[in-house]
Amino acid sequence: MSSSNTVLDFRKSAITRGNVFEGNSVPELHAKPVALKIESVAKSYALSGSELKVLEAINLDVQSGEFISIVGASGCGKSTLLRLIAGLDIGYEGAIVYQGKRIEGTDLSRGIVFQEHRLFPWLTVEANILLAFASTNVPKAERKERVKAQIELVGLTGFEHAYPHQISGGMSQRVAIARALVLRPQLLLLDEPFAALDALTRLKLQQELERLWEHEGLTTILVTHDVEEAVFLGDRVVVMQSHPGRIKRIVPVRLARPRIRSNPDFQCIKEDLLTDFV
Amino acid sequence: MSIGIRAAIGLNRVAGKVIYNRLRLVSFISPIILLLVWAWVTHLQLISPQLLASPLQILDSFQELVASGDLQEHLLKSLSRLVFGYSIGAFAGLLFGILMALSKNVEDYFHPLFQAVRQVPIIALIPIFILLLGIDEIFKIAIVINAAFLAVALASYEATKGVPKPYFEVAQAYQLPTLTVYRKLVIPAILPPVLTGLRIAFARSWTILVASELLVADSGIGQMMQMGRDMFRLDIVLVGVVLTGAIGFTIDRLFKWGEANLIPWRVA
């Protein structure tokens, strides 16, 4: 078992906080650079005079190219954490360090996909994706090329000129993923991207997401409340707890990809994770 | 939208098909019945012919007014006041409404005053406008500007306030330049409600213009009606009534046609 210092640091801090952390579940990591460093992050809201803690003592190092799943019940602050990483909300304590700097705003190298597709209803599929380039200096011709390639990659060729209301929810979410990927981000953030979709579409998009992740070699953070989804996609599964939102434990998933849901090992990890919730 | 509601409550279904909200032949039935009743009432002379002329007499008076060129002159006068005042009022209202929704400062300074002023019936402002501006051309135009401004400002303010916050997060995530945020987000998002606001503002502007011409004017369709009343030529008044309605209706239809064609993304 090889482990880098950052992981040992994390382990130490987790133990000092008294969290459950199984000794044999330290993830196996190669000497990959840290893409994102979350250090004692806390966040609270003022709620009718009193202070409501939504996040407390969050520590996490995300390795470059890693797929992190964050699971937790509603209200555990997992989406809030993702919004902080995206830079959509900059009022927090501690530090989220990305590319050597504390995150103080959004950045085009961090793509985000929300639970709702959030495509602009008045723009076609193509125009919605093209919009991502608005503040870049990519030449017009190249933009068109990349949008076309990205549409092909998410399997929507032929729907370039459709409006969002003319395509299904699953297709819209694919467009949203394409919009996030077309800028070739280094970090992809997904906030329950498949939660609003039907079960069959969800399975299909999970597979597609894995394929895209391998294809682009992206560091990815997925927030979900679907434990199976977390295990299917994650290199590590971060389990969060509510009141205040904090990390309960981190479970590595050392299974070959693509993962087989019926595999006993897969089931084992899933059952283990579910004990945190039921 | 209304079609969805009708379908939901089971109205407007003919053999399982939903009928769309277009002007159809049946739409002419009620005006024709009104005309027939009108003709019948005048034929029986239930109301003195001096008070209520028959539809055919109205047509005669109309042709007479057209032949003398009076009608065209009055119409041109009214419509030019309308177009001039409405353009200024609507444009200013549009900018002001959007600005008030986007800028906290502008909202803090002007919103309460705006809400108070718009509660005052425009007709109640006519005496003040006359005192301030006299009874010349400027007065009628100012009345139209005021009517258009208030209605459009309200519509564009509410519309801009109503743009879903999640869209602005998308703009933030992609760091869209300010101009792009306006062109690709704010303007298309507010277009449907603003177009409805422009249409309603037009109807208000047109009615208030005719009303103010009735009160004080030397020309215009309202003044023509007032003159007709003074001369006890109620046929001329009725020509004015029918024309006012017809013009309002036509322009309203034009607005609706524009709405349908400017908003291709609307779920039909």
Side-chain angles (χ1 to χ4, degrees):
Chain A
M1 187 172 302
S2 69
S3 44
S4 72
N5 280 336
T6 48
V7 171
L8 284 175
D9 287 347
F10 173 75
R11 202 178 151 193
K12 232 187 291 165
S13 62
I15 290 165
T16 49
R17 287 202 317 278
N19 281 354
V20 184
F21 199 87
E22 291 160 43
N24 61 355
S25 67
V26 176
E28 200 169 326
L29 292 166
H30 310 288
K32 277 191 175 170
V34 174
L36 184 82
K37 201 171 175 63
I38 302 173
E39 287 175 309
S40 39
V41 162
K43 171 153 188 77
S44 46
Y45 290 113
L47 192 74
S48 57
S50 63
E51 199 183 41
L52 181 73
K53 278 205 162 178
V54 264
L55 289 174
E56 191 178 62
I58 305 287
N59 287 283
L60 180 68
D61 282 357
V62 180
Q63 317 296 314
S64 184
E66 195 178 15
F67 198 123
I68 294 279
S69 300
I70 303 178
V71 280
S74 311
C76 72
K78 56 191 192 300
S79 289
T80 307
L81 179 61
L82 201 76
R83 291 172 54 83
L84 294 181
I85 299 170
L88 287 170
D89 187 345
I90 51 169
Y92 66 96
E93 293 160 50
I96 302 176
V97 181
Y98 171 74
Q99 294 181 337
K101 282 191 289 259
R102 188 178 190 268
I103 289 177
E104 301 282 3
T106 58
D107 181 334
L108 295 181
S109 73
R110 275 173 281 138
I112 184 161
V113 177
F114 301 95
Q115 183 177 338
E116 332 83 65
H117 55 72
R118 299 197 187 180
L119 301 176
F120 292 172
W122 43 87
L123 296 181
T124 60
V125 164
E126 189 181 41
N128 262 295
I129 304 174
L130 265 175
L131 194 64
F133 287 104
S135 72
T136 66
N137 50 15
V138 177
K140 279 248 156 62
E142 194 191 329
R143 292 181 187 193
K144 282 255 174 194
E145 272 311 302
R146 276 166 68 177
V147 168
K148 191 167 173 277
Q150 203 66 52
I151 288 176
E152 200 183 322
L153 202 61
V154 296
L156 285 175
T157 305
F159 292 94
E160 291 87 348
H161 303 297
Y163 285 103
H165 78 263
Q166 296 169 318
I167 59 178
S168 71
M171 288 158 88
S172 298
Q173 202 54 285
R174 283 198 193 114
V175 179
I177 292 170
R179 180 174 63 179
L181 290 179
V182 79
L183 293 179
R184 300 188 185 131
Q186 281 151 30
L187 180 60
L188 180 64
L189 307 169
L190 303 152
D191 188 5
E192 304 193 31
F194 311 138
L197 305 177
D198 65 90
L200 295 174
T201 311
R202 196 181 310 149
L203 291 182
K204 192 158 163 35
L205 284 190
Q206 285 165 359
Q207 284 177 4
E208 283 183 22
L209 177 60
E210 182 175 51
R211 180 174 58 87
L212 287 171
W213 169 73
E214 285 186 327
H215 183 266
E216 315 259 329
L218 276 169
T219 311
T220 302
I221 303 176
L222 167 78
V223 160
T224 179
H225 54 234
D226 179 344
V227 171
E228 190 174 291
E229 180 173 282
V231 178
F232 183 75
L233 290 165
D235 288 323
R236 285 191 287 162
V237 178
V238 176
V239 181
M240 285 187 70
Q241 233 175 354
S242 337
H243 311 298
R246 58 198 188 278
I247 294 175
K248 187 178 183 192
R249 60 175 177 146
I250 299 176
V251 178
V253 184
R254 264 168 263 142
L255 299 173
R257 288 175 191 268
R259 286 159 181 167
I260 318 288
R261 290 166 209 266
S262 56
N263 178 318
D265 292 335
F266 186 100
Q267 288 299 326
C268 211
I269 297 171
K270 186 182 156 189
E271 290 302 322
D272 174 36
L273 282 166
L274 280 171
T275 56
D276 285 325
F277 301 105
V278 283
Chain B
M1 285 296 157
S2 61
I3 295 152
I5 293 168
R6 287 171 183 172
I9 60 175
L11 277 177
N12 281 40
R13 272 163 197 276
V14 177
K17 270 197 282 182
V18 177
I19 295 173
Y20 289 93
N21 194 14
R22 267 186 295 122
L23 199 60
R24 291 178 310 278
L25 273 178
V26 289
S27 309
F28 294 99
I29 291 176
S30 56
I32 287 170
I33 289 176
L34 182 69
L35 271 178
L36 288 176
V37 171
W38 179 2
W40 181 68
V41 167
T42 48
H43 178 71
L44 294 182
Q45 303 209 338
L46 290 177
I47 297 171
S48 155
Q50 280 198 308
L51 288 179
L52 186 70
S54 76
L56 283 175
Q57 281 172 288
I58 302 294
L59 194 64
D60 279 346
S61 311
F62 173 74
Q63 281 165 342
E64 196 184 299
L65 283 164
V66 171
S68 68
D70 284 356
L71 187 69
Q72 292 91 315
E73 206 175 296
H74 286 303
L75 259 183
L76 192 69
K77 206 76 194 163
S78 288
L79 289 177
S80 63
R81 283 169 190 153
L82 181 71
V83 169
F84 191 59
Y86 180 79
S87 311
I88 295 175
F91 186 69
L94 186 67
L95 292 187
F96 179 73
I98 295 173
L99 195 65
M100 189 162 64
L102 292 177
S103 157
K104 190 83 189 77
N105 276 331
V106 176
E107 190 177 27
D108 286 345
Y109 277 101
F110 294 108
H111 188 249
L113 175 68
F114 173 76
Q115 288 295 355
V117 169
R118 77 175 189 86
Q119 308 293 337
V120 181
I122 299 168
I123 210 106
L125 293 174
I126 287 181
I128 300 171
F129 273 71
I130 291 177
L131 279 176
L132 291 174
L133 302 169
I135 55 167
D136 291 337
E137 211 51 28
I138 184 95
F139 153 71
K140 269 110 24 187
I141 290 169
I143 284 284
V144 174
I145 291 177
N146 182 56
F149 176 85
L150 290 175
V152 174
L154 180 69
S156 51
Y157 169 74
E158 303 269 341
T160 311
K161 278 272 165 187
V163 180
K165 292 276 175 295
Y167 290 150
F168 286 111
E169 275 185 6
V170 171
Q172 198 188 341
Y174 290 98
Q175 303 187 328
L176 300 187
T178 311
L179 195 66
T180 312
V181 172
Y182 281 99
R183 280 182 45 231
K184 302 281 173 146
L185 172 53
V186 177
I187 292 171
I190 68 173
L191 195 58
V194 163
L195 281 176
T196 307
L198 285 171
R199 188 158 59 80
I200 292 166
F202 171 80
R204 283 176 155 224
S205 304
W206 177 228
T207 47
I208 195 68
L209 174 67
V210 174
S212 63
E213 284 176 353
L214 275 167
L215 288 175
V216 270
D218 51 8
S219 59
I221 195 106
Q223 192 267 341
M224 183 190 87
M225 286 152 83
Q226 182 59 29
M227 202 169 59
R229 201 194 71 150
D230 290 344
M231 299 187 308
F232 217 66
R233 285 282 307 274
L234 290 174
D235 54 325
I236 294 180
V237 178
L238 281 170
V239 169
V241 168
V242 173
L243 261 183
T244 306
I247 289 170
F249 175 81
T250 308
I251 302 184
D252 189 72
R253 279 278 143 184
L254 285 177
F255 269 102
K256 281 198 166 164
W257 180 83
E259 279 177 48
N261 285 281
L262 275 168
I263 311 171
W265 63 85
R266 181 149 63 181
V267 189

